[in-house]
Amino acid sequence: MNRLGKKANETLIEMALSADGEECNGPETISTAGSEIPSSSEGLNSTETTLLIPEHQVQSGRKYNLFLKRRLRIDKRHQSKDSIFFRDGVRRIDFVLSYVDDLNKEWEKKLERRKEFESNLQKAGLELETEDKKESEDGKIFFVKIHAPWEVLITYAEVLNIKVPIRENDIPPMVENPLDCVLFPLRLPEKVMHPEPDYFTAPFSKDKQELYLINDESTFFSPSMRNRIVNYILTRCPYGTEEGKKKFGIKRLLNNGTYTAAYPLHDCQYWKKASDPNCDSERYTLYMEWARFLRFYKEQPLVLIRKYYGEKIGIYFAWLGFYTEMLFLAAVVGLICFLYGLFTMDENMSSKEICDPAIGGEIIMCPLCDRDCEYWRLNTTCESSQYSHLFDNVATLFFAIFMGIWVTLFLEFWKRRQARLKYEWDLVDFEEEQQQLQLRPEYEAKCTQKKKNPVTQEMEPYIPLTSQAVRFCISGATVLFWVSLIIASMIAVIVYRLAVYAAFASLMENTQTLQPISGVLTPQLATSVTASCLNFVIIMILNFFYERIAIWITDMEIPRTHMEYENRLTMKMFLFQFVNYYSSCFYVAFFKGKFVGYPGAYTYMFNRWRNEECDPAGCLIELTTQLTIVMAGKQIWGNIQEAIVPWICNWWGRRKARNNPENLYSRWEQDHDLQTFGALGLFYEYLEMVIQFGFITLFVASFPLAPLLALMNNILEIRVDSWKLTTQYRRPVAAKAHSIGVWQEILNGMAILSVVTNAFIVAFTSDMIPRLVYYYAYFENEHSPMSGYINNSLSVFLISDFPEENKPKENPENFVICRYRDYRYPPDHEKKYMHTMQFWHILAAKLAFIIIMEHVVFIVKFFVAWMIPDVPADVKAKIKREKYLTQKILHEYELEKLKERLCQGDTRATEKEFIATEGRMELSRAM
């Protein structure tokens, strides 16, 4: 559609032109602003051109014909289709809409919607220019290019309360860090880190344009600001009435197929700078300095990221980078704890006794399943007990306490970093109402009833309470159903564990080829690994379906604002992911081996499958296995989804265009062939990182190397996310955000929960407390207090007491007794098979440890949080200084305007008003 001038002295002329003077084919419409003649001939070959031309230029059609043909020839030689400007080479393309003119039954309706929508866009002040489908690479797609002129930009800049420069910042920079010389190899060039000077800013006002540093109207508003303004108009522009309801917004037009895409343009190709000197080529800079993996050790150009993509994406990368930096400390401490376990492995008395043929080789253990399993010797678990010591040692306790404090330091220092970014990015006075609390277009469209707002006294849409209640009930029931489905799948995996253990035991016993590795690959380990892999597959399948269900039920609830929508979707997705990813770890950590019973009186699931027992060395090694498989598997799969899938899709989509020369593959077509980042793109990035945060905090006592794995993943994650955003996705619409939102509260909740879970893991999952109780209260050898611990921790069972349904089918060596992991009296005691006093002492010690550890860590956490202010002192001072100077500048401006009015004899400008303005300036200085 064209933006056509309506001046009375203009005449409509149609003429057929071609570069060689021959007759042209097919119509195309070219828009003009006023009477300006387009200076570019892109898409004009073999077209019939409609132009509005002033009458004084139509005195000789032949002269004008020759003039325009000459311009066409020149432009064909010099104009690049990689340009981000209209054909006149002056007006910047701020947004692009695309559509396919398919002749189906909906064709006329879509055509009518487009005409109405584009007409309304023009009425809103936007300028449009259409590229005919003949000019597209596949000959099927029309492109509508949108430009926002100065008048539109300043109008909506005031509506959106956009802050713009008023004076260069004169506050002295921070004192240089003495470590800067050491960190120099990690730094990026200054022009990349700070591409423009720092300014004092103030909200834009049309009435005070002289106040702002407007050097060039075409570049005063950055491309990200421009596309945000245009997107604001597109989401609210009406396109007609259907079924008695007012329809509006580009989102609906995309959903019903009227348009196929809507996106702002990248400023150049990522692998080379733009040929146009007016283009900043920021995408190229981001790719070269940020999005390549070889730059993994470099800092991130956050200011440039914010400038190109907007604050919302900028704050995500700032948080991810800060999280990765903090992980370095946790990874180093975790690695030291792991190395401690590795170096002290040979000194571990428990594994020595288990591996000793005279001790572990003589202890006969009770079968691990009914009927089909055989008696076994304790020393067959020698290797697994040694590996268990890597994670189940004294350093585990230290690391659990350290991580409880680390997570507090991370959250508190992030608040300080976030406060500094809010100041540097002009978000201090940013109100969520400016953007996030605006009514969603979908809410306004779907709400048929209205009521008066008691504050504004204006009619506004609303959903009746009964309708809201029904929607929430359906939503809650759906979420509950899916959570129940996760629990059911976890129970199915547990049943798998119980059912296949006997099969693995029989297979390894009877298969000669497995005998060399039977010491390492025990039936318990084989069951645990295969069950973990099965659980991971189920997790990914459930995730795939639930993501779509969560979006559907959130849409059904019709949230009022963008913030409300994001918060509701976040809570639904996080609740599901929390149960989905962590349920299996919770089972191994807190339930497996805890409700087993004892030989002759085992407990059964569904009265059929006997509950699992822990390895004699404890369940911690199984929790480590489970955590490693799920965490590593998720990270590997996530990187495949994020990097490889978009690359394949783009490669497939551009397979035809690869053979075309660059001058025939326009910038809007190149971006059209890229993937869409989507409104929920950042949501999934945050969700992925928060789930990882749970793995390294909730269960870190069982796996000190988890922070190291997370660190390596995040170093890759930053570059993968930056690479895909810069090279594989269309440019997202810029959006403001002054924090990470509801994710901050989720992280705080997980930090508190992690103290509890790690205390329980150390107490109930690891073997530390029983060993300490034996060391101090039940030792048998003063010179070696841990000698005899294994024998002490195993109770005795008389084989003849086995019921027939539990007794093994074979006992070739005629064993009389067998041992099992528990603290119970022997068969010849008057309290036969009842718990001993040592059991109760250990239980009391475990509970006491949990209470003491939780209180100590919580006290330290709250003390650290109290000691570290959320906003750095220098930032507070700078905020106050900037507010003062900004107010002073505004007041001086108002005073000057008032003086001008007085000098011009404006009777409305009284002396009292002048005095009041000066008084306000004095009061501002005093405050």
Side-chain angles (χ1 to χ4, degrees):
M1 294 294 293
N2 297 358
R3 180 172 173 82
L4 302 177
K6 296 183 179 179
K7 294 184 179 179
N9 66 336
E10 289 178 339
T11 305
L12 184 65
I13 295 181
E14 294 184 353
M15 58 187 70
L17 298 174
S18 67
D20 56 4
E22 294 181 3
E23 191 170 326
C24 303
N25 301 316
E28 176 180 312
T29 304
I30 302 178
S31 72
T32 63
S35 61
E36 192 174 301
I37 301 172
S39 62
S40 167
S41 65
E42 285 185 25
L44 296 182
N45 55 320
S46 67
T47 60
E48 182 178 307
T49 309
T50 302
L51 294 167
L52 282 175
I53 303 171
E55 284 185 351
H56 69 269
Q57 290 187 4
V58 194
Q59 296 175 2
S60 172
R62 185 172 183 177
K63 287 182 180 179
Y64 179 74
N65 193 351
L66 292 172
F67 164 78
L68 190 55
K69 285 199 289 184
R70 194 178 302 116
R71 288 292 297 270
L72 290 174
R73 290 193 184 103
I74 293 171
D75 289 337
K76 279 178 179 294
R77 290 196 301 269
H78 298 288
Q79 181 71 20
S80 168
K81 293 203 76 174
D82 197 44
S83 172
I84 56 172
F85 294 93
F86 272 22
R87 297 189 191 100
D88 57 18
V90 176
R91 291 172 294 170
R92 187 185 185 97
I93 301 171
D94 297 313
F95 229 87
V96 174
L97 307 179
S98 67
Y99 64 90
V100 178
D101 207 3
D102 49 350
L103 299 176
N104 56 23
K105 60 181 181 180
E106 293 282 324
W107 176 75
E108 290 186 0
K109 186 180 290 186
K110 292 180 180 178
L111 178 62
E112 190 63 34
R113 289 175 187 153
R114 282 194 293 268
K115 284 183 177 179
E116 182 72 18
F117 185 69
E118 292 173 15
S119 174
N120 289 331
L121 289 179
Q122 290 175 325
K123 290 176 183 177
L126 298 178
E127 298 176 0
L128 311 183
E129 186 175 77
T130 301
E131 289 290 327
D132 191 85
K133 64 181 180 181
K134 299 187 190 67
E135 303 302 322
S136 66
E137 179 267 325
D138 60 1
K140 299 177 182 178
I141 303 174
F142 291 86
F143 292 94
V144 181
K145 299 174 287 185
I146 302 175
H147 169 75
W150 176 252
E151 294 75 15
V152 173
L153 293 174
I154 61 176
T155 299
Y156 286 94
E158 188 170 8
V159 171
L160 294 174
N161 208 26
I162 291 176
K163 286 188 173 184
V164 294
I166 56 175
R167 182 182 293 181
E168 192 164 341
N169 192 337
D170 61 357
I171 298 177
M174 293 177 58
V175 179
E176 290 189 8
N177 189 338
L179 296 178
D180 279 347
C181 57
V182 179
L183 300 176
F184 179 77
L186 309 180
R187 303 295 186 196
L188 287 173
E190 183 65 19
K191 65 178 181 180
V192 176
M193 290 302 297
H194 301 98
E196 57 188 21
D198 190 19
Y199 296 99
F200 292 134
T201 59
F204 188 84
S205 173
K206 291 172 64 177
D207 299 331
K208 302 176 182 177
Q209 293 188 40
E210 303 91 345
L211 181 64
Y212 309 112
L213 301 178
I214 305 176
N215 298 321
D216 185 352
E217 291 183 357
S218 63
T219 59
F220 180 68
F221 293 103
S222 67
S224 60
M225 290 180 183
R226 298 174 69 102
N227 73 56
R228 187 158 72 93
I229 290 172
V230 174
N231 183 68
Y232 181 87
I233 299 172
L234 290 174
T235 55
R236 284 158 178 79
C237 183
Y239 61 86
T241 303
E242 298 177 8
E243 301 175 357
K245 295 181 181 179
K246 186 179 179 182
K247 302 291 185 180
F248 57 88
I250 187 62
K251 186 175 180 180
R252 279 179 170 270
L253 292 173
L254 291 171
N255 290 338
N256 60 33
T258 303
Y259 290 100
T260 56
Y263 53 94
L265 291 180
H266 284 293
D267 62 359
C268 66
Q269 294 169 331
Y270 68 85
W271 64 86
K272 68 176 182 177
K273 289 185 177 181
S275 55
D276 192 334
N278 295 321
C279 181
D280 293 332
S281 299
E282 291 174 346
R283 185 191 189 192
Y284 170 80
T285 304
L286 285 170
Y287 174 71
M288 297 301 294
E289 302 291 347
W290 178 53
R292 295 189 300 164
F293 183 74
L294 293 178
R295 314 291 283 181
F296 73 91
Y297 62 94
K298 293 284 188 179
E299 60 183 336
Q300 298 187 86
L302 294 176
V303 175
L304 187 58
I305 296 169
R306 173 241 182 172
K307 182 184 176 187
Y308 192 76
Y309 291 115
E311 287 80 2
K312 195 169 187 178
I313 289 178
I315 206 82
Y316 163 72
F317 280 103
W319 175 81
L320 180 57
F322 183 80
Y323 172 44
T324 305
E325 291 171 12
M326 290 294 291
L327 274 176
F328 182 78
L329 175 62
V332 170
V333 177
L335 182 61
I336 292 172
C337 293
F338 174 78
L339 292 176
Y340 170 83
L342 182 64
F343 293 144
T344 60
M345 186 185 295
D346 294 336
E347 301 172 12
N348 181 28
M349 184 59 68
S350 298
S351 58
K352 281 183 178 180
E353 291 186 346
I354 291 174
C355 297
D356 190 345
I359 301 176
E362 297 299 322
I363 296 177
I364 308 301
M365 301 297 293
C366 297
L368 295 172
C369 64
D370 294 341
R371 303 295 292 170
D372 294 325
C373 293
E374 300 178 348
Y375 301 100
W376 53 285
R377 298 183 184 275
L378 183 59
N379 64 347
T380 58
T381 61
C382 174
E383 285 83 356
S384 63
S385 67
Q386 290 176 330
Y387 295 141
S388 180
H389 179 72
L390 289 173
F391 310 106
D392 191 359
N393 53 65
V394 178
T396 300
L397 173 59
F398 166 77
F399 192 59
I401 296 174
F402 167 81
M403 287 301 293
I405 299 171
W406 173 89
V407 73
T408 304
L409 292 173
F410 163 64
L411 294 174
E412 291 302 316
F413 281 123
W414 165 246
K415 290 178 185 176
R416 291 170 63 84
R417 178 73 172 123
Q418 191 170 256
R420 192 175 295 280
L421 287 175
K422 285 174 67 175
Y423 165 73
E424 293 173 354
W425 291 359
D426 296 320
L427 299 170
V428 173
D429 297 322
F430 173 72
E431 297 290 341
E432 293 292 350
E433 286 82 358
Q434 294 172 19
Q435 185 172 10
Q436 293 295 313
L437 294 186
Q438 292 167 354
L439 292 182
R440 296 172 63 237
E442 295 84 356
Y443 179 84
E444 296 178 283
K446 292 180 181 179
C447 294
T448 56
Q449 301 185 38
K450 294 190 175 183
K451 69 176 181 179
K452 184 180 288 186
N453 187 311
V455 177
T456 63
Q457 294 296 307
E458 294 180 357
M459 299 299 291
E460 61 180 25
Y462 86 106
I463 301 176
L465 187 61
T466 52
S467 176
Q468 289 185 38
V470 171
R471 294 173 188 274
F472 281 128
C473 287
I474 296 174
S475 174
T478 305
V479 173
L480 187 62
F481 168 77
W482 278 88
V483 170
S484 302
L485 195 62
I486 297 172
I487 296 173
S489 67
M490 184 189 70
I491 293 173
V493 173
I494 295 172
V495 170
Y496 166 85
R497 287 172 175 269
L498 303 178
V500 303
Y501 177 81
F504 277 123
S506 176
L507 179 67
M508 293 179 181
E509 182 74 24
N510 300 323
T511 306
Q512 295 298 320
T513 55
L514 295 178
Q515 290 301 316
I517 60 170
S518 60
V520 178
L521 189 64
T522 62
Q524 294 99 319
L525 184 60
T527 303
S528 180
V529 170
T530 56
S532 299
C533 294
L534 177 63
N535 183 65
F536 175 72
V537 172
I538 293 174
I539 285 172
M540 303 313 295
I541 292 173
L542 290 176
N543 271 351
F544 176 80
F545 289 106
Y546 182 77
E547 284 179 5
R548 288 148 182 79
I549 296 295
I551 294 172
W552 175 76
I553 58 179
T554 306
D555 288 337
M556 182 200 65
E557 292 175 6
I558 318 181
R560 178 184 174 86
T561 65
H562 293 284
M563 174 177 283
E564 199 175 320
Y565 182 90
E566 288 186 9
N567 289 349
R568 289 188 190 180
L569 181 61
T570 298
M571 294 312 297
K572 290 183 184 69
M573 286 295 294
F574 177 72
L575 175 63
F576 177 84
Q577 299 269 23
F578 185 91
V579 178
N580 198 18
Y581 279 107
Y582 302 144
S583 57
S584 58
C585 293
F586 272 102
Y587 163 72
V588 175
F590 306 123
F591 295 97
K592 182 178 178 181
K594 307 300 186 294
F595 310 100
V596 177
Y598 62 94
Y602 288 117
T603 54
Y604 291 82
M605 177 179 286
F606 306 128
N607 295 321
R608 180 174 179 181
W609 292 286
R610 196 174 109 189
N611 285 352
E612 283 186 284
E613 297 180 43
C614 286
D615 189 272
C619 269
L620 199 68
I621 188 66
E622 290 194 43
L623 177 58
T624 302
T625 303
Q626 177 77 24
L627 185 65
T628 304
I629 290 175
V630 176
M631 180 180 174
K634 182 186 182 304
Q635 292 180 168
I636 293 170
W637 178 249
N639 286 325
I640 290 173
Q641 279 187 311
E642 291 183 16
I644 298 178
V645 172
W647 180 82
I648 292 175
C649 293
N650 288 336
W651 173 83
W652 181 257
R654 292 187 302 221
R655 64 193 186 283
K656 293 181 181 178
R658 288 197 302 272
N659 299 321
N660 291 339
E662 179 184 321
N663 62 346
L664 297 180
Y665 194 34
S666 63
R667 160 87 357 243
W668 44 90
E669 289 180 274
Q670 293 173 42
D671 285 10
H672 180 269
D673 289 341
L674 298 176
Q675 299 298 299
T676 305
F677 189 64
L680 297 176
L682 277 187
F683 167 81
Y684 292 114
E685 301 296 342
Y686 275 118
L687 183 63
E688 178 186 5
M689 288 295 102
V690 170
I691 293 297
Q692 182 204 83
F693 181 81
F695 281 123
I696 69 163
T697 55
L698 296 177
F699 308 101
V700 74
S702 67
F703 190 36
L705 292 180
L708 181 61
L709 287 181
L711 174 64
M712 293 189 294
N713 174 79
N714 287 7
I715 291 173
L716 179 63
E717 180 77 20
I718 291 174
R719 303 304 157 179
V720 168
D721 286 349
S722 58
W723 174 80
K724 73 177 184 183
L725 200 61
T726 307
T727 68
Q728 303 300 309
Y729 283 88
R730 296 171 187 161
R731 185 174 184 170
V733 178
K736 274 188 175 290
H738 70 295
S739 68
I740 61 174
V742 70
W743 298 109
Q744 182 79 37
E745 301 305 319
I746 291 175
L747 292 174
N748 289 334
M750 295 180 75
I752 294 172
L753 180 60
S754 68
V755 177
V756 179
T757 55
N758 283 302
F760 272 85
I761 287 173
V762 173
F764 286 97
T765 309
S766 80
D767 220 25
M768 182 177 298
I769 302 300
R771 288 200 297 263
L772 289 175
V773 171
Y774 179 81
Y775 183 89
Y776 288 106
Y778 290 89
F779 65 89
E780 298 173 358
N781 186 344
E782 291 185 1
H783 300 290
S784 180
M786 288 305 297
S787 298
Y789 168 74
I790 290 297
N791 186 62
N792 176 267
S793 65
L794 299 174
S795 299
V796 178
F797 182 77
L798 193 63
I799 291 177
S800 59
D801 290 340
F802 263 124
E804 282 300 319
E805 62 270 16
N806 301 131
K807 186 180 294 187
K809 295 177 182 178
E810 299 178 357
N811 185 7
E813 299 186 44
N814 296 318
F815 297 125
V816 176
I817 61 170
C818 64
R819 309 293 293 273
Y820 60 99
R821 184 181 170 82
D822 207 342
Y823 294 92
R824 295 180 181 271
Y825 289 110
D828 56 353
H829 196 276
E830 59 180 6
K831 295 181 179 180
K832 180 179 179 180
Y833 301 141
M834 294 180 66
H835 283 123
T836 64
M837 283 304 297
Q838 187 175 353
F839 170 84
W840 300 110
H841 290 161
I842 291 173
L843 181 61
K846 289 179 177 180
L847 297 177
F849 170 81
I850 290 172
I851 295 171
I852 294 170
M853 178 179 169
E854 285 182 0
H855 281 72
V856 169
V857 175
F858 279 134
I859 289 172
V860 174
K861 278 170 63 70
F862 292 133
F863 179 74
V864 169
W866 175 76
M867 285 287 292
I868 302 174
D870 292 347
V871 182
D874 66 309
V875 172
K876 283 183 180 179
K878 288 180 178 179
I879 290 172
K880 291 178 181 179
R881 170 71 176 163
E882 181 168 337
K883 281 187 176 180
Y884 164 71
L885 291 176
T886 303
Q887 287 178 355
K888 181 182 177 182
I889 293 168
L890 291 172
H891 292 165
E892 288 176 350
Y893 170 80
E894 291 176 2
L895 193 60
E896 287 299 320
K897 298 295 288 185
L898 192 56
K899 285 180 180 178
E900 290 179 10
R901 290 167 57 192
L902 286 170
C903 293
Q904 294 171 2
D906 188 347
T907 56
R908 292 174 297 175
T910 65
E911 186 177 352
K912 289 183 179 180
E913 186 179 356
F914 180 80
I915 294 171
T917 304
E918 281 192 320
R920 188 170 60 177
M921 290 178 61
E922 293 297 329
L923 181 62
S924 176
R925 291 191 191 102
M927 292 177 64

